[in-house]
Amino acid sequence: MSERPWIELFPGVHRRRIALTDRIYQMEVRLAAGSHVPLHSHPEDQVAYVVSGWLRFQVGEEIIDATAGRSVAIPGDTPHAVWTIEDTLAIDTFSPPRTDYLQVDGD
């Protein structure tokens, strides 16, 4: 089985699904230094784990710097944004799975 393709979310931000069950959706995210995920929210809970690099999160009113080995939990419907300080590899897990991502994944 070949690896899933990378999908651009925003300039410099790409994702690739790595796991899926009825209750979770997990993906790798590559973020280039200087890229930005604008303020948004979604109903799914999210946990972001930084494998390498440095991200600055806004979660609600809180600002959180996350470097390698740190995770950030984002409750569903909470406004959040991300700024990439250094090239970063992260793992994002959503529960329940994001149907909008599944539609783009094509299965």
Side-chain angles (χ1 to χ4, degrees), residues 10-94:
F10 302 98
V13 180
H14 296 82
R15 70 168 181 88
R16 176 171 64 187
R17 187 174 87 201
I18 56 175
L20 175 66
T21 72
D22 290 340
R23 293 189 228 175
I24 67 161
Y25 182 103
Q26 191 170 63
M27 65 186 194
E28 290 179 284
V29 187
R30 288 187 180 166
L31 305 99
S35 63
H36 174 62
V37 176
L39 189 67
H40 68 287
S41 65
H42 42 75
E44 301 83 6
D45 288 348
Q46 177 180 354
V47 175
Y49 174 78
V50 178
V51 176
S52 63
W54 178 6
L55 299 176
R56 179 165 293 142
F57 289 82
Q58 176 185 345
V59 179
E61 299 298 317
E62 185 177 6
I63 301 297
I64 303 166
D65 279 332
T67 54
R70 176 111 192 251
S71 62
V72 176
I74 305 165
D77 296 318
T78 302
H80 57 286
V82 179
W83 293 266
T84 310
I85 309 304
E86 297 176 355
D87 287 347
T88 299
L89 174 63
I91 303 294
D92 280 354
T93 305
F94 298 91

Side-chain angles (χ1 to χ4, degrees), residues 4-5 7 15 17 20 25 99-107:
R4 300 186 77 73
I7 298 169
R15 70 168 181 88
R17 187 174 87 201
L20 175 66
Y25 182 103
T99 56
D100 57 336
Y101 285 0
L102 289 172
Q103 290 171 351
V104 173
D105 289 352
D107 57 11

